[in-house]
Amino acid sequence: MSNPPLLKHRSAHPDPAWRGRVGMAVLALALLWPMMVASEFHPALLFDWQSLQATGRFLAGFVPPAHSAEFLALLLRETWQTVAIATAGLTLALLGAIPATLLVTEKMSISRLGTGRMRLASALLRQSVRWLLVLLRSVPELVWALLFVRIIGLGPTAGVLAIALTYCGMLGKVYAEILESTDGHASDALLANGSGRLAALLYGALPEAASELVSYTVYRWECAIRGSVVMGFVGAGGLGQRMDESMKMLSGGEVSSMLLVFVLLVAGADAVSKLLRRRLG
């Protein structure tokens, strides 16, 4: 017995939405093409013979990595300074992001209890803090570092302040979104029974969102390490400043050693994130 026409149609077209998917793909390519033209992106230049020769000469200088005792001691000191810059900057960012999270998270609003509506003063304060977070994260940490280098001079202090300002805006925004996406029954119950907002956060919202909050915080610490390296190129200290000097002196062995340290730092941050998330269950 032959299959019914409906079954034949389904076997011929297993995805009933294939036309829409193809149309969206064509539309995405149509939008991407003018952007690539405007960016003057020419991938063929990577395979030009002169480019390949220059790449080979550049990479040849990376072998072997620098490993003298004097350089390794310097590398260890600069690595420690880079991690210190990232950690200090992230700590300052948390000092600003945690209070801001309490203010912008609508589930932490006491004025919404019962009526479900927020008072005008609370709404204005929440929107003001939200715009402050937008302002802080809109300026890249590299730009903040350039400004602070001009104001207070060269050194790691500029990098710490730059990370603190930019990451305060990022952490405050994402923390609030994570808490808003959690089940708010426990926090609402605590607030309705007279609990303070900090207690409602600690005992109501945090237990459910702890794993995601920790994972994002460690990820931001990893980003802060990379960011502190980049800011070193503008005089904010750490491995980036040393790498800039090595590249100007065409010392490929020193650069390759620093790149290996970058890989180890990111791998270490990833291991810390996995360990903390496993401990939190």
Side-chain angles (χ1 to χ4, degrees):
M1 181 182 294
S2 62
N3 292 329
L6 181 60
L7 294 179
K8 288 183 178 180
H9 179 72
R10 287 181 178 176
S11 61
H13 303 284
D15 185 2
W18 70 272
R19 291 185 179 87
R21 300 181 196 279
V22 172
M24 290 299 297
V26 172
L27 179 61
L29 290 176
L31 294 175
L32 180 62
W33 176 253
M35 296 180 185
M36 295 183 66
V37 173
S39 65
E40 299 182 4
F41 177 62
H42 303 294
L45 294 176
L46 297 174
F47 303 99
D48 180 73
W49 178 246
Q50 292 183 349
S51 299
L52 292 175
Q53 285 183 321
T55 302
R57 289 193 299 268
F58 180 71
L59 294 178
F62 280 33
V63 182
H67 56 276
S68 65
E70 182 181 0
F71 175 75
L72 291 179
L74 175 64
L75 185 60
L76 180 61
R77 184 172 67 250
E78 297 298 331
T79 301
W80 170 248
Q81 187 178 68
T82 297
V83 175
I85 292 172
T87 305
L90 188 66
T91 302
L92 291 178
L94 287 170
L95 293 179
I98 292 174
T101 301
L102 285 172
L103 291 174
V104 303
T105 303
E106 294 186 4
K107 286 185 177 180
M108 294 291 104
S109 176
I110 301 176
S111 63
R112 294 186 61 183
L113 292 174
T115 63
R117 295 188 299 271
M118 194 180 304
R119 288 195 293 265
L120 178 60
S122 299
L124 290 176
L125 176 61
R126 179 166 285 103
Q127 189 61 38
S128 299
V129 177
R130 187 175 287 116
W131 278 109
L132 177 60
L133 295 177
V134 170
L135 173 64
L136 291 177
R137 69 176 182 270
S138 297
V139 182
E141 60 264 36
L142 183 60
V143 177
W144 283 121
L146 283 169
L147 294 175
F148 284 120
V149 165
R150 298 291 184 184
I151 295 172
I152 62 179
L154 301 174
T157 302
V160 171
L161 294 176
I163 290 174
L165 291 179
T166 301
Y167 283 50
C168 177
M170 293 179 178
L171 291 171
K173 174 184 181 296
V174 178
Y175 283 175
E177 291 179 349
I178 292 174
L179 294 177
E180 289 287 356
S181 64
T182 59
D183 186 3
H185 292 305
S187 300
D188 291 341
L190 290 171
L191 291 172
N193 286 279
S195 172
R197 300 171 82 185
L198 183 59
L201 174 70
L202 293 176
Y203 300 106
L206 278 186
E208 182 178 351
S211 179
E212 192 171 355
L213 289 171
V214 169
S215 178
Y216 182 75
T217 303
V218 177
Y219 169 71
R220 274 297 149 196
W221 178 60
E222 174 188 324
C223 294
I225 292 175
R226 294 198 301 267
S228 63
V229 172
V230 175
M231 288 184 293
F233 283 85
V234 298
L239 274 174
Q241 189 166 344
R242 172 57 59 182
M243 175 175 277
D244 183 38
E245 296 173 0
S246 297
M247 292 183 70
K248 289 178 180 178
M249 294 186 298
L250 302 178
S251 180
E254 294 183 359
V255 174
S256 62
S257 296
M258 295 179 195
L259 291 176
L260 290 174
V261 171
F262 297 162
V263 174
L264 293 176
L265 286 176
V266 173
D270 186 61
V272 170
S273 177
K274 288 182 179 180
L275 177 62
L276 291 176
R277 282 188 282 113
R278 190 180 299 114
R279 289 292 182 87
L280 292 172

